[in-house]
Amino acid sequence: MRWHHVQGVVRRSHSISMLFSRQDQNILFAASALHDVGYAPKLAGTGFHSLDGARYLERKGYSARLCALVAQHSCAYIEARLRMYSVELAHWVDERTPLRDALWWADMTTGPDGNTVGVHERIAEIRARYGPEDLVTVFIREAEPELVAAVERTEARLRAAGVEVR
């Protein structure tokens, strides 16, 4: 299922690429394809996929910006705090740009099967998948306002560019 999700995130990123320069498009596509690489069992050193993925990419020599986008994707700083990895995650700065919002938008509007979903549907699916007491559920509950805001900002940018939001 993870692969279907990643493929869907990449498709979503391509659908909004007109908002960005060629250079930013390339980084968005790469971050979309690699945002969940830290879930790979061979890379899961801490069990915190954002951190594990960024560490792997850094070891492989990927750009600092790509590593930071992967490390900080979809409000990872909140999960880092809950998992007590804030210091480690702080190695990569959250750029807080429209490109970062676009990555979060693509992630938070793509379900596990790779299909497009609304952000609230995606958040509900994550809560249901992990159960009420899981740390990920606590994280997603706390992150929801910020995740929704990133989605809304991206959709406003799309509308301003004359792109139909779906």
Side-chain angles (χ1 to χ4, degrees):
M1 280 300 239
R2 179 80 43 211
W3 180 235
H4 296 294
H5 169 72
V6 169
Q7 290 176 306
V9 171
V10 170
R11 279 192 303 276
R12 296 288 280 162
S13 294
H14 278 275
S15 76
I16 62 170
S17 63
M18 79 295 294
L19 295 177
F20 302 102
S21 69
R22 173 62 67 193
Q23 182 179 357
D24 279 356
Q25 287 175 12
N26 290 337
I27 194 92
L28 177 60
F29 300 155
S32 296
L34 295 168
H35 78 283
D36 279 349
V37 70
Y39 279 118
K42 291 182 179 181
L43 306 181
T46 67
F48 176 32
H49 80 281
S50 298
L51 179 61
D52 292 336
R55 284 178 168 172
Y56 168 76
L57 295 172
E58 185 174 67
R59 282 192 309 272
K60 291 296 185 180
Y62 285 88
S63 75
R65 187 176 186 202
L66 177 61
C67 294
L69 285 164
V70 169
Q72 296 288 347
H73 81 273
S74 299
C75 248
Y77 78 92
I78 293 174
E79 189 171 348
R81 180 176 42 76
L82 294 170
R83 292 183 182 276
M84 293 189 250
Y85 285 116
S86 293
V87 170
E88 293 84 349
L89 191 70
H91 175 73
W92 297 280
V93 176
D94 180 356
E95 65 179 59
R96 299 176 186 267
T97 63
L99 184 111
R100 175 270 242 171
D101 283 356
L103 176 62
W104 291 23
W105 170 85
D107 187 26
M108 296 311 301
T109 61
T110 303
D113 60 2
N115 290 325
T116 299
V117 297
V119 63
H120 296 290
E121 182 182 346
R122 173 80 165 126
I123 290 168
E125 177 276 316
I126 292 168
R127 286 180 174 155
R129 183 166 20 115
Y130 284 92
E133 303 303 318
D134 194 270
L135 182 137
V136 173
T137 302
V138 173
F139 150 70
I140 204 73
R141 185 179 317 118
E142 191 173 330
E144 184 171 4
E146 197 167 341
L147 293 168
V148 170
V151 167
E152 289 173 349
R153 285 190 300 269
T154 299
E155 291 180 351
R157 289 179 187 108
L158 286 165
R159 284 189 295 277
V163 177
E164 182 181 339
V165 177
R166 26 180 208 116

